[in-house]
Amino acid sequence: MFAQLSDLPQAIKQYLIITGNYWAFTLTDGALRMLVVLYFHQLGYDALAIAMLFLFYEVFGVITNLVGGWLGAHLGLNKTMNIGLGIQLVALAMLCVPSDWLGVFYVMAAQALSGIAKDLNKMSAKSAIKYLVPDDETGQSKLYRWIALLTGSKNALKGIGFFLGGLLLTLVGFKGALFALIALLGIAWLVSLTYLKGDMGKAKNKPKFKELFSKSRAINLLSAARLCLFAARDVWFVVALPVYLAAQFNWDHWWVSGFMALWVIAYGAVQSQAPKITGNSANKIDVLNKAYYWAIALTGVTFILAVLMQFNIAIHISLITGLLIFGAAFAVNSSLHSYLIVSLAKSDAVSLDVGFYYMANATGRLVGTVFSGLMYKLYGLQACLWVSVSLLLIVVLVTKRLNKQS
């Protein structure tokens, strides 16, 4: 098996290492998120308090994506990826303390490190792929497929991580689950340190720090759309939905984590197939048009779900079915955006543009997470869905402007 791997082209081998690295990280990150949500819900924390545990995770994700792109251009993407893995190991170890130490601010600090680690790893993985394909039509087509496969498989692993978190919490408890995750991620870190190629993504002309904010209009518009897209998802999915399933449907940890896992796995599967669903076109104008129409479709699905929930129409069926359809439409939207940012990024120092874009992504997650806990506590899941609809309308308008600008 290892002999066969050694015969593969260098670009394929590096892609496999990057993808495997990203998979291992995502598995542990998804498990950790579900562990924190379920464990602290079990301890009696309300939805807003649980959302606050992730506040620094998202805040530092915003900062990391911005500064991380600059670091990637200076140090190389292999180094930023490996630094991300190391920081995540520290974050997991921080939670392996006696339960009396696990106060809100301590957990928020551990989650801050996890947020830094996650976005260093994500920015590095997404940026690195651009350096593995030629900059022509064939290369752009391959770029779309590879980005979709990386992102889709990552989200499928995140779903498995959700399930793993609930399963480990049930079987071995909170601390035992953390030890298992540390062992898994430690192996991935050693492999990455040994085999990932050095200096990938290091810019020939080192960018100045002020260049972090100097972006083209297309990058700015796409980033704004990404911010609202992920805020629209997380405002009802991250905290409100799992708490609602546990409190209103009376589901236990297995059911909540299992259902969330299956949803994210299905979402990732659709995302990886986005090039087949939308047509594997390398023409940016075609992809932008598709992004606009898929944003309209996602908004319509969310609006219908909000209406059904608002008027208590077949709540169980409406929520489960609506969530599945929402996931499929969201997956295609996300995949189209992920391709567009890598494609539109400058060839030298790709990580700067990608980092700025994923800073917007992290800002959207931050806004969505905070409002998910706040709106659910004050007004319930229905209000979270109406906020989601409003944000998706902004995505539609911004994407339309991006089409005109291009």
Side-chain angles (χ1 to χ4, degrees):
M1 177 180 175
F2 291 106
Q4 291 176 331
L5 287 175
S6 64
D7 292 335
L8 291 172
Q10 184 65 24
I12 299 292
K13 286 191 286 188
Q14 290 296 298
Y15 176 74
L16 291 175
I17 294 170
I18 290 166
T19 303
N21 185 338
Y22 200 27
W23 282 356
F25 187 98
T26 301
L27 188 65
T28 60
D29 191 58
L32 178 60
R33 176 172 285 267
M34 191 56 61
L35 276 171
V36 171
V37 170
L38 294 178
Y39 182 67
F40 284 91
H41 176 65
Q42 179 180 295
L43 294 179
Y45 286 60
D46 63 27
L48 182 57
I50 294 172
M52 289 300 101
L53 295 176
F54 294 101
L55 179 64
F56 284 175
Y57 177 95
E58 303 297 355
V59 167
F60 280 87
V62 173
I63 298 169
T64 301
N65 275 298
L66 185 61
V67 179
W70 180 81
L71 285 174
H74 279 260
L75 301 177
L77 296 171
N78 64 310
K79 292 184 176 67
T80 51
M81 179 171 282
N82 289 328
I83 290 170
L85 285 170
I87 292 174
Q88 180 75 339
L89 286 168
V90 174
L92 289 167
M94 281 183 65
L95 297 175
C96 296
V97 297
S99 57
D100 292 344
W101 293 20
L102 295 176
V104 171
F105 289 106
Y106 183 85
V107 176
M108 288 174 72
Q111 288 296 96
L113 288 179
S114 186
I116 293 170
K118 194 282 290 291
D119 284 298
L120 270 179
N121 193 270
K122 181 177 184 177
M123 178 278 300
S124 302
K126 294 289 182 70
S127 300
I129 292 179
K130 179 147 184 166
Y131 295 102
L132 303 179
V133 298
D135 190 19
D136 54 24
E137 187 170 343
T138 301
Q140 290 298 303
S141 180
K142 181 182 289 186
L143 179 65
Y144 187 15
R145 293 197 306 274
W146 281 17
I147 288 287
L149 180 60
L150 177 72
T151 308
S153 60
K154 181 269 293 187
N155 282 305
L157 264 294
K158 185 176 181 179
I160 295 173
F162 283 171
F163 178 73
L164 181 63
L167 177 64
L168 289 173
L169 182 61
T170 302
L171 295 180
V172 297
F174 186 68
K175 194 173 295 186
L178 291 170
F179 286 135
L181 297 180
I182 288 171
L184 173 63
L185 193 62
I187 294 170
W189 190 41
L190 291 175
V191 171
S192 184
L193 285 170
T194 304
Y195 295 107
L196 193 60
K197 183 180 177 182
D199 296 335
M200 182 185 296
K202 186 182 289 188
K204 297 175 183 176
N205 300 311
K206 297 296 185 290
K208 297 178 180 178
F209 194 79
K210 66 181 181 180
E211 293 179 45
L212 295 176
F213 300 96
S214 179
K215 303 298 167 190
S216 69
R217 182 173 173 81
I219 296 292
N220 288 335
L221 287 172
L222 186 60
S223 298
R226 186 73 171 193
L227 187 157
C228 293
L229 181 68
F230 273 76
R233 182 195 68 178
D234 287 1
V235 74
W236 68 285
F237 183 79
V238 169
V239 175
L241 182 64
V243 172
Y244 182 88
L245 294 174
Q248 301 299 320
F249 287 10
N250 294 316
W251 288 5
D252 61 20
H253 294 162
W254 278 81
W255 278 92
V256 175
S257 63
F259 175 74
M260 299 286 283
L262 288 173
W263 185 88
V264 177
I265 291 168
Y267 161 79
V270 173
Q271 200 168 35
S272 65
Q273 296 301 310
K276 293 182 180 178
I277 295 171
T278 64
N280 189 27
S281 173
N283 186 294
K284 293 184 182 67
I285 300 301
D286 289 344
V287 176
L288 284 167
N289 285 331
K290 290 167 185 173
Y292 172 64
Y293 290 116
W294 275 97
I296 292 174
L298 180 62
T299 306
V301 167
T302 312
F303 175 78
I304 293 170
L305 177 57
V307 170
L308 293 173
M309 293 295 294
Q310 184 69 49
F311 293 100
N312 296 319
I313 300 172
I315 294 295
H316 282 72
I317 297 175
S318 297
L319 182 59
I320 303 304
T321 305
L323 182 62
L324 294 174
I325 299 172
F326 175 92
F330 187 91
V332 175
N333 274 274
S334 177
S335 192
L336 288 166
H337 283 208
S338 294
Y339 162 71
L340 283 169
I341 182 57
V342 178
S343 181
L344 292 170
K346 293 178 293 185
S347 295
D348 191 31
V350 172
S351 61
L352 280 178
D353 286 340
V354 174
F356 180 83
Y357 170 80
Y358 280 109
M359 177 199 70
N361 187 109
T363 303
R365 294 199 315 264
L366 170 62
V367 171
T369 298
V370 172
F371 275 89
S372 185
L374 180 63
M375 296 302 293
Y376 182 80
K377 182 178 181 180
L378 295 177
Y379 304 110
L381 185 63
Q382 294 90 334
C384 296
L385 284 165
W386 285 117
V387 174
S388 180
V389 171
S390 301
L391 289 164
L392 288 171
L393 285 171
I394 298 174
V395 175
V396 172
L397 294 175
V398 172
T399 307
K400 187 175 182 62
R401 289 192 66 183
L402 180 59
N403 277 2
K404 290 181 178 179
Q405 192 272 333
S406 300

